[in-house]
Amino acid sequence: MEVPMSVDMRLTTLGHWSNSSAGPTTSFHVAADDAQILLDVGLDPIGRLQAAGLQPTDVTHVYVSHLHSDHVGGFANFVFTRTLLNREGDVPLLKLTVLGHPQVLVGLKALLDLQYPERTFDLAWVECGEEPVSLGGQLKARLVPTDHPVPCYGVVLETGRAKIGFTGDTGPLASHQQDYAGCDVLIGEAFGLAGDVGDSIHRRGHSTAEDLGELVNAARPRFVVPFHFGQEYADTSKRAKLLSACGAPDVQVVDPVDSEQITIAQS
Ligand SMILES: [Zn+2]
Ligand SMILES: [Zn+2]
């Protein structure tokens, strides 16, 4: 699923399921100005990028919301394989910048040390927080706190022309209505319909489709891309119910399972 938002910002879904029994887990690709950013790196981001016709060596930034394996399982493999892909290249590999909350970055460094103790990777590490951090050009990132059992942060990416929000995994928080206001696109967690998954998922730090619908109704993005649902929503009619609960008037709900290309005209 690809969502071109303007000539200089485009979103491609690489994975969106909440666990790998259903399919590829959370990872999104954003192309903005000269940057190509991965939002989370679920299982096999290299394979998913290649399947989408994107070059792993063109990725310039990786943002990781938190260290649960469905969001970070492909991290060390992505960093390692990206360097191999350029072995024959006659142009130097673009430097990869890893973005995140300082606590998450500590975990990512530990993962690389554990899985590749014999190697050093030429990476730039950029600590982000709730104040916007400039990533070069007009691109900026700011973090959004979540309600999740481990340190986890959503992110808002902004260029001069577009704004994209990604909630990561989170229980519903009233502050998100302000945090994600004015986004062109909101990638929002919807674990399932409340009637199916129960409100007890709030205690585990997750949101229902109805919770996302409430956020969308307040923040009013132009597009909402629900993600993080389980295998039962592979069923088209069941998923249609989930997707309709995530919407609001004048907001287009994008089905992440749909492989059709969707064009978003810049208003
Ligand atoms: Zn998750
Ligand atoms: Zn999680």
Side-chain angles (χ1 to χ4, degrees):
M1 196 280 302
E2 195 176 320
V3 185
M5 274 168 283
S6 70
V7 287
D8 62 358
M9 199 164 184
R10 192 179 69 231
L11 169 70
T12 307
T13 300
L14 304 175
H16 55 82
W17 298 99
S18 63
N19 72 76
S20 52
S21 72
T25 60
T26 309
S27 191
F28 296 89
H29 176 274
V30 177
D33 299 335
D34 294 332
Q36 292 199 18
I37 306 150
L38 293 182
L39 297 175
D40 280 350
V41 269
L43 308 174
D44 192 25
I46 295 273
R48 301 298 299 165
L49 282 165
Q50 289 177 333
L54 296 162
Q55 294 302 321
T57 46
D58 289 343
V59 172
T60 53
H61 298 76
V62 175
Y63 175 76
V64 176
S65 64
H66 68 302
L67 297 171
H68 278 152
S69 70
D70 55 316
H71 299 258
V72 77
F75 177 71
N77 185 261
F78 176 77
V79 170
F80 169 67
T81 310
R82 185 177 174 276
T83 63
L84 295 187
L85 288 175
N86 198 54
R87 207 177 250 168
E88 307 295 319
D90 44 12
V91 287
L93 188 65
L94 288 171
K95 187 146 181 157
L96 186 65
T97 299
V98 184
L99 311 166
H101 186 274
Q103 274 180 290
V104 174
L105 296 187
V106 166
L108 296 178
K109 287 176 185 169
L111 271 177
L112 281 181
D113 283 345
L114 184 69
Q115 297 184 314
Y116 294 99
E118 78 285 16
R119 284 182 178 262
T120 8
F121 298 104
D122 183 25
L123 302 172
W125 299 85
V126 174
E127 296 188 352
C128 299
E130 290 175 56
E131 290 300 314
V133 171
S134 178
L135 301 174
Q138 290 192 292
L139 186 64
K140 289 190 195 115
R142 69 173 161 82
L143 301 195
V144 177
T146 68
D147 175 14
H148 204 52
V150 298
C152 178
Y153 295 84
V155 67
V156 175
L157 292 174
E158 202 168 345
T159 68
R161 299 182 62 182
K163 194 168 161 183
I164 183 164
F166 170 56
T167 64
D169 286 1
T170 185
L173 286 177
S175 50
H176 286 173
Q177 300 186 356
Q178 198 54 47
D179 291 326
Y180 295 109
C183 284
D184 295 287
V185 177
L186 178 62
I187 306 168
E189 190 197 354
F191 203 90
L193 287 159
D196 295 336
V197 297
D199 281 350
S200 66
I201 66 157
H202 292 168
R203 289 198 295 277
R204 292 191 278 135
H206 292 291
S207 294
T208 63
E210 288 85 347
D211 294 325
L212 179 58
E214 213 170 294
L215 172 58
V216 164
N217 202 35
R220 289 302 170 100
R222 294 170 60 206
F223 296 86
V224 58
V225 186
F227 80 102
H228 213 261
F229 26 92
Q231 195 169 27
E232 60 188 305
Y233 297 100
D235 179 88
T236 313
S237 64
K238 216 165 163 33
R239 192 167 68 255
K241 285 186 196 133
L242 178 146
L243 295 173
S244 71
C246 301
D250 303 322
V251 178
Q252 188 175 330
V253 183
V254 177
D255 183 352
V257 180
D258 195 341
S259 59
E260 264 179 72
Q261 193 177 64
I262 298 158
T263 303
I264 298 174
Q266 196 70 7
S267 61

